[in-house]
C-alpha cells in the first residue's frame, strides 16, 4: 500500500498482536470507505484505529512560589510507581523523591514547560493536595515516563507495548528496576476509545500484569470535557440565578441524556485494577470561589461525581468506577447561548482545583498550579493505598512486609474500597432524576446510581486509621480450586445489648487470571458468605450500596450492614465469614488465587470497642506457610 511499518508487538498472554504503521492518504481513504480492496478487506486484520491519544492537560492559573518548608526526606525502596509524562524531577517539591527511569528516552523530547501532567501526578502522590498540606510519603517513587513531547504518547510506539515494557522492566528476573513495587498509578487513558462492552487490549494487559506480578493498578476512569446542553435555560445568567435543588436537578437531567456517550475510557474497564472517578471535592476556600466570573458550580454543596467524570458500568456489568476520590469542585462555563444553553466543564483553574507542582516560570523553579479530574483523583487513590501500606507496616512490621506481593496488593485493594460509600443526598438526587419511580424497581435505581458513584466516595482518613469506637480487621491468604476459608471476626463485649446504631462492613478483593477471547474472561470468582446476612447481630443490608448481584461481577466485593440495637452477646462471640472460591468456568485454573478481606465493626460513642477488639486477637502471631 506504499506505507511504512513503525512498530510491532505480540503479547500472547492477552491475545494481542498489533502493527503500528504510517499510511499514505489513498490507503487511509480506502479504510474509511471500508473498501474490500484495501487493508480493511484482509482476513488477518481485526481492528483498525488511530494511535492512542492521551487526554490534554494545560497549565492554568499558576501561583507564585510558596515559602519553602522543611519536609522529611524520602528513603527506602519504592512500593509505588507512576507511568506518566516526563516530570520536572528537580522541582523543589519533587527533588530526591523520584527515581526516574527514562526507559524509552523521552526526557530529551519533552520541553521543561510541557512537563505538566507527570509533574502534577507526582506532586499529588507525594504530597497530596497542597491546599490541604499533609506529610509527604516516606518512600521514594519509581517513575517511568511514557508520554513525551506535548504530554502525548510517542508517535513511533504502540501504547500497549509501551506499558508492557515499562512494567516488565520493574519485575524482570535479571536486573529488575523496581522489584518492590506493589502499586502502579495510571492516570492515563485513550480519548479515542470509550468502553462499549468489549475489553481493550490495554485493559487486558493490566489484568494480566496485576495477577502475574501481584500489582494493584489504580486507573483513571477518564474525563468527558465536551459541551452539553442544559435545557430549559437559554442564557448563562438564568442558569446561574437558579437556586438549588433546581440547578443540580437540571444539570443531572442534562447529563443523564448522554450516558451512552460518556462511558469509561480505555483502559479503565480493567477487571483486576481499581478504576477511580472524580468527586466534586477540593480544599479551595469559599472566599476564592466568590471571585469566579462566568463559572458556575452546578452542584454546590451536594457531594457527587463531577460533570466530566466518565460513567460505568464496567465489563460484564460490573461496578465501575470502583471508587470516587476528590477531583476538585468542577465548574461549568458557557459555550453558546440561544434556544438552549450549552456549557462545558472548566479545566484545573480557580475557583476550583487541587494545588500541585508545576513547571518553572520566569526562572523560578518552585511554581505551583491547579489541576482537576479523574487523573488527579487517581493520584490521590494511589497515595491513599501507599498510606494504608505505611500504616500496616508500622503496626505489623515484618509480619506484613514478609507477605507475598500478591497478598499485600489485594489487601491494599480491599482496604482502599472498604470505606467507600454513597453520599445520601447524591444518591437520592440520581434516583429522583433517573428513576424509575416505582419503589419495586430498586435494582434499576441502584444500577443508575452506581453508574455515577461506583461503591462511593472513599474516606481516606478512615482507610488509614482506626478509632476508639471502630475496629478494622484484615486477613489475607490464597485459595485453590473450590476451596473455602473460614475467618472469625470477634465481637467486643462492650457492644452487648446496647440500643445504639452499629455497623458491619466487609470487603473482599482478589486478582483473577484472565482468559482473553472467552466469555468467562474473569476466570475465577470468589464469594463472601456471611452467616444469614448477619441477622443474629441485628443488622440488615444498607440500602445505599450497589445491588448484591451488581457487586459480584468484578474482583472486589463490598457490603455494609446497619442496625439500631445490638443483641446480648455470649462470651467470646464472633462473626464467621467464609471466603469461597467458586467452581472455575470453562478451563480449569490450577493457580492459587490471592485474596484480601477487610471487616470493620463500629458503634459510635462506645470508646472501649477498639481496645476490646484488639485484645481478642493479641498477640499478633507470625505468618506461617501452609
Amino acid at each position: 500500500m506504499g506505507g511504512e511499518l513503525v512498530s510491532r508487538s505480540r503479547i500472547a498472554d492477552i491475545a494481542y498482536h498489533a502493527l503500528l504503521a504510517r499510511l499514505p492518504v489513498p490507503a487511509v481513504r480506502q479504510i474509511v470507505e471500508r473498501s474490500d480492496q484495501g487493508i480493511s478487506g484482509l482476513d488477518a486484520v481485526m481492528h483498525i484505529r488511530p494511535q492512542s491519544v492521551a487526554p490534554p492537560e494545560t497549565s492554568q492559573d499558576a501561583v507564585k512560589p510558596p515559602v519553602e518548608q522543611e519536609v522529611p526526606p524520602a528513603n527506602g525502596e519504592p512500593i509505588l510507581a507512576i507511568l506518566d509524562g516526563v516530570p520536572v524531577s528537580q522541582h523543589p517539591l519533587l527533588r530526591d523523591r523520584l527515581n526516574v527511569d527514562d526507559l524509552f528516552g523521552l526526557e530529551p523530547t519533552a520541553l521543561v514547560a510541557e512537563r505538566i501532567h507527570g509533574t502534577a501526578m507526582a506532586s499529588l502522590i507525594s504530597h497530596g493536595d497542597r491546599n490541604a498540606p499533609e506529610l509527604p510519603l516516606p518512600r521514594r517513587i519509581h517513575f517511568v515516563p511514557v508520554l513525551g513531547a506535548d504530554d502525548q504518547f510517542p508517535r513511533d510506539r504502540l501504547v500497549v507495548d509501551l506499558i508492557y515494557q515499562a512494567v516488565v522492566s520493574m519485575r524482570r528476573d535479571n536486573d529488575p528496576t523496581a522489584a518492590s513495587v506493589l502499586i502502579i498509578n495510571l492516570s492515563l487513558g485513550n480519548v479515542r476509545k470509550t468502553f462499549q462492552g468489549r475489553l481493550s487490549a490495554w485493559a487486558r494487559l493490566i489484568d494480566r500484569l496485576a495477577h502475574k506480578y501481584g500489582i494493584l493498578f489504580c486507573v483513571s476512569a477518564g474525563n468527558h470535557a465536551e459541551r452539553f446542553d442544559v435545557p430549559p435555560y437559554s442564557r448563562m445568567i438564568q442558569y446561574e440565578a437558579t437556586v438549588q435543588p433546581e440547578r443540580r436537578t437540571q444539570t443531572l437531567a442534562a447529563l443523564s441524556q448522554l450516558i451512552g456517550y460518556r462511558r469509561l475510557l480505555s483502559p479503565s474497564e480493567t477487571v483486576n485494577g481499581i478504576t477511580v472517578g472524580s468527586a466534586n471535592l477540593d480544599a479551595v476556600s469559599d472566599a476564592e470561589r466568590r471571585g469566579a466570573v462566568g463559572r458556575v458550580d452546578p452542584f454546590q454543596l451536594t457531594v457527587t461525581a463531577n460533570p466530566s467524570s466518565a460513567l460505568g458500568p464496567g465489563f460484564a456489568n460490573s461496578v465501575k468506577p470502583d471508587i470516587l476520590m476528590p477531583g476538585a469542585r468542577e465548574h461549568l462555563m458557557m459555550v453558546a447561548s440561544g434556544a438552549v444553553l450549552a456549557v462545558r466543564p472548566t479545566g484545573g483553574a480557580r475557583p476550583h482545583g487541587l494545588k500541585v507542582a508545576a513547571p518553572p516560570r520566569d526562572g523560578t523553579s518552585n511554581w505551583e498550579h491547579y489541576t482537576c479530574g479523574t487523573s488527579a483523583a487517581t493520584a490521590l487513590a494511589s497515595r491513599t493505598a501507599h498510606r494504608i501500606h505505611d500504616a500496616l507496616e508500622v503496626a505489623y512490621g515484618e509480619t506484613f512486609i514478609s507477605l507475598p506481593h500478591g497478598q499485600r496488593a489485594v489487601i491494599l485493594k480491599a482496604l482502599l474500597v472498604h470505606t467507600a460509600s454513597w453520599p445520601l443526598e447524591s444518591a437520592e438526587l440520581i434516583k429522583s432524576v433517573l428513576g424509575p419511580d416505582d419503589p419495586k424497581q430498586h435494582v434499576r435505581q441502584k444500577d443508575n446510581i452506581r453508574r455515577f458513584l461506583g461503591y462511593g466516595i472513599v474516606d481516606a482518613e478512615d482507610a488509614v486509621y482506626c478509632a476508639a469506637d471502630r475496629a478494622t480487621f484484615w486477613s489475607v491468604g490464597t485459595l485453590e480450586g473450590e476451596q473455602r476459608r473460614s475467618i472469625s471476626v470477634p465481637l467486643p463485649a462492650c457492644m452487648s445489648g446496647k440500643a445504639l446504631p452499629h455497623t458491619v462492613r466487609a470487603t473482599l478483593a482478589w486478582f483473577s487470571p484472565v482468559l482473553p477471547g472467552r466469555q468467562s474472561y474473569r476466570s475465577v470468582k470468589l464469594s463472601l458468605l456471611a452467616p444469614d446476612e448477619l441477622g443474629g447481630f441485628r443488622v440488615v443490608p444498607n440500602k445505599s450500596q450497589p445491588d448484591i448481584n451488581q457487586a459480584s461481577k468484578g474482583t472486589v466485593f463490598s457490603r455494609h450492614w446497619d442496625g439500631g440495637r445490638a443483641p446480648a452477646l455470649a462470651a467470646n462471640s464472633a462473626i464467621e465469614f467464609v471466603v469461597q472460591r467458586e467452581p472455575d468456568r470453562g478451563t480449569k485454573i490450577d493457580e492459587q488465587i490471592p485474596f484480601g478481606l477487610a471487616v470493620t465493626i463500629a458503634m459510635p460513642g462506645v470508646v472501649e470497642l477498639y481496645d476490646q477488639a484488639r485484645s481478642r486477637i493479641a498477640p499478633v502471631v507470625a505468618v506461617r506457610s501452609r
Side-chain angles (χ1 to χ4, degrees):
M1 305 299 293
E4 173 192 2
L5 181 63
V6 177
S7 180
R8 68 171 71 200
S9 176
R10 184 166 189 169
I11 308 171
D13 285 354
I14 61 169
Y16 177 73
H17 186 196
L19 308 178
L20 179 63
R22 291 191 181 94
L23 297 177
V25 171
V28 175
R29 218 174 258 132
Q30 286 183 329
I31 293 172
V32 173
E33 296 169 354
R34 300 183 184 180
S35 169
D36 291 338
Q37 285 71 47
I39 291 176
S40 55
L42 299 175
D43 289 340
V45 176
M46 294 183 65
H47 305 283
I48 301 174
R49 63 173 59 94
Q51 172 68 314
S52 303
V53 174
E57 178 85 4
T58 57
S59 179
Q60 298 188 50
D61 205 20
V63 295
K64 292 182 178 180
V67 177
E68 291 204 26
Q69 298 176 340
E70 289 292 328
V71 294
N75 299 304
E77 291 295 313
I79 63 165
L80 187 150
I82 303 174
L83 307 184
D84 212 289
V86 179
V88 181
S89 57
Q90 293 305 306
H91 191 287
L93 289 173
L94 302 179
R95 189 182 299 126
D96 299 325
R97 297 197 167 274
L98 304 179
N99 294 339
V100 179
D101 178 15
D102 190 18
L103 185 65
F104 308 109
L106 297 177
E107 275 197 287
T109 71
L111 299 175
V112 173
E114 297 173 349
R115 301 180 182 187
I116 298 169
H117 198 268
T119 302
M121 297 306 105
S123 175
L124 279 170
I125 290 173
S126 182
H127 298 278
D129 179 5
R130 292 276 293 163
N131 273 329
E134 300 175 2
L135 285 175
L137 294 180
R139 293 174 181 261
R140 294 175 74 96
I141 297 169
H142 187 72
F143 199 115
V144 181
V146 294
L147 304 180
D150 297 320
D151 263 346
Q152 288 296 316
F153 296 112
R155 296 171 62 87
D156 61 348
R157 297 295 299 260
L158 287 158
V159 173
V160 172
D161 186 54
L162 206 69
I163 302 301
Y164 176 71
Q165 298 297 338
V167 177
V168 169
S169 70
M170 299 180 204
R171 292 291 191 83
R172 60 192 172 211
D173 294 334
N174 298 321
D175 192 25
T177 57
S180 54
V181 161
L182 292 168
I183 308 159
I184 291 182
N185 186 84
L186 204 58
S187 291
L188 302 173
N190 183 3
V191 298
R192 288 176 168 160
K193 183 165 179 58
T194 58
F195 175 61
Q196 299 294 339
R198 186 184 183 92
L199 279 159
S200 66
W202 195 351
R204 299 199 307 270
L205 176 68
I206 290 173
D207 291 336
R208 174 60 180 155
L209 295 174
H211 175 259
K212 181 178 181 179
Y213 293 122
I215 294 174
L216 173 60
F217 284 86
C218 293
V219 186
S220 58
N223 304 304
H224 293 277
E226 304 87 359
R227 58 178 279 177
F228 61 94
D229 295 339
V230 189
Y233 308 108
S234 59
R235 293 182 300 160
M236 196 66 171
I237 193 171
Q238 294 175 317
Y239 180 66
E240 188 172 9
T242 305
V243 297
Q244 300 291 19
E246 180 68 16
R247 187 195 302 166
R248 59 176 175 255
T249 299
Q250 295 295 346
T251 305
L252 184 62
L255 291 170
S256 70
Q257 300 301 310
L258 304 170
I259 284 178
Y261 302 97
R262 305 177 74 83
R263 301 293 297 275
L264 304 169
L265 296 186
S266 167
S268 62
E269 72 273 25
T270 167
V271 170
N272 280 331
I274 290 292
T275 303
V276 186
S278 168
N280 62 333
L281 291 168
D282 60 28
V284 176
S285 69
D286 289 338
E288 290 177 289
R289 292 187 207 281
R290 281 195 289 271
V293 177
R295 295 169 181 163
V296 179
D297 185 348
F299 299 117
Q300 285 183 313
L301 299 180
T302 300
V303 179
T304 187
N306 270 324
S308 68
S309 191
L311 306 178
F315 180 71
N317 208 31
S318 59
V319 174
K320 291 287 176 179
D322 295 279
I323 58 174
L324 268 60
M325 293 289 291
R329 274 171 62 179
E330 202 167 61
H331 287 52
L332 300 177
M333 62 185 298
M334 184 181 74
V335 177
S337 61
V340 177
L341 172 68
V343 297
R344 67 171 177 83
T346 60
R350 284 181 290 182
H352 70 282
L354 308 178
K355 195 176 183 182
V356 296
R361 296 189 180 191
D362 304 328
T364 308
S365 61
N366 54 339
W367 279 84
E368 296 178 309
H369 73 149
Y370 292 84
T371 190
C372 66
T374 61
S375 288
T378 303
L380 292 181
S382 296
R383 173 179 170 82
T384 302
H386 196 299
R387 293 178 63 208
I388 293 170
H389 185 282
D390 296 342
L392 292 172
E393 183 179 3
V394 168
Y396 299 95
E398 189 62 25
T399 301
F400 176 68
I401 293 298
S402 62
L403 291 171
H405 277 75
Q407 293 186 25
R408 274 193 288 160
V410 290
I411 194 58
L412 296 182
K413 179 178 177 178
L415 287 166
L416 184 59
V417 177
H418 189 55
T419 64
S421 60
W422 290 350
L424 294 181
E425 188 177 15
S426 176
E428 286 299 319
L429 172 65
I430 297 169
K431 185 170 71 172
S432 67
V433 173
L434 276 73
D437 295 331
D438 185 358
K440 295 180 181 179
Q441 298 288 324
H442 57 87
V443 174
R444 287 181 57 195
Q445 292 173 350
K446 290 184 176 183
D447 179 49
N448 287 326
I449 296 170
R450 55 114 186 200
R451 285 177 183 270
F452 288 82
L453 303 180
Y455 280 111
I457 298 174
V458 170
D459 187 322
E461 297 309 303
D462 280 3
V464 175
Y465 303 110
C466 280
D469 56 2
R470 184 183 72 245
T472 297
F473 305 82
W474 62 275
S475 175
V476 295
T478 59
L479 287 174
E480 297 176 355
E482 300 186 42
Q483 192 179 23
R484 55 163 49 192
R485 302 281 172 130
S486 179
I487 297 168
S488 181
V489 177
L491 293 174
C494 61
M495 303 176 74
S496 180
K498 285 191 169 60
L500 293 172
H502 56 289
T503 62
V504 179
R505 291 181 177 225
T507 304
L508 173 67
W510 68 99
F511 291 146
S512 172
V514 293
L515 299 173
R518 303 197 182 187
Q519 186 175 2
S520 56
Y521 172 79
R522 182 200 62 170
S523 57
V524 171
K525 176 185 176 182
L526 302 189
S527 297
L528 180 64
L529 309 179
D532 298 325
E533 280 291 295
L534 302 180
F537 192 46
R538 291 185 185 167
V539 289
V540 296
N542 187 301
K543 294 181 179 180
S544 296
Q545 60 182 329
D547 180 75
I548 191 169
N549 292 315
Q550 299 166 354
S552 63
K553 301 292 186 179
T555 57
V556 61
F557 175 84
S558 191
R559 302 296 290 165
H560 304 173
W561 296 269
D562 298 321
R565 183 185 183 94
L569 301 174
N572 298 324
S573 292
I575 299 174
E576 295 288 334
F577 287 98
V578 174
V579 179
Q580 176 174 287
R581 178 169 167 178
E582 303 295 337
D584 297 334
R585 298 176 58 190
T587 304
K588 183 174 176 59
I589 306 297
D590 294 327
E591 299 173 70
Q592 293 189 340
I593 304 302
F595 73 87
L597 175 67
V599 178
T600 293
I601 296 174
M603 182 175 274
V606 180
V607 296
E608 307 92 346
L609 191 153
Y610 179 83
D611 287 338
Q612 288 191 11
R614 190 173 186 275
S615 68
R616 291 279 301 275
I617 59 170
V620 176
V621 180
V623 175
R624 300 172 183 170
S625 60
R626 289 185 178 272

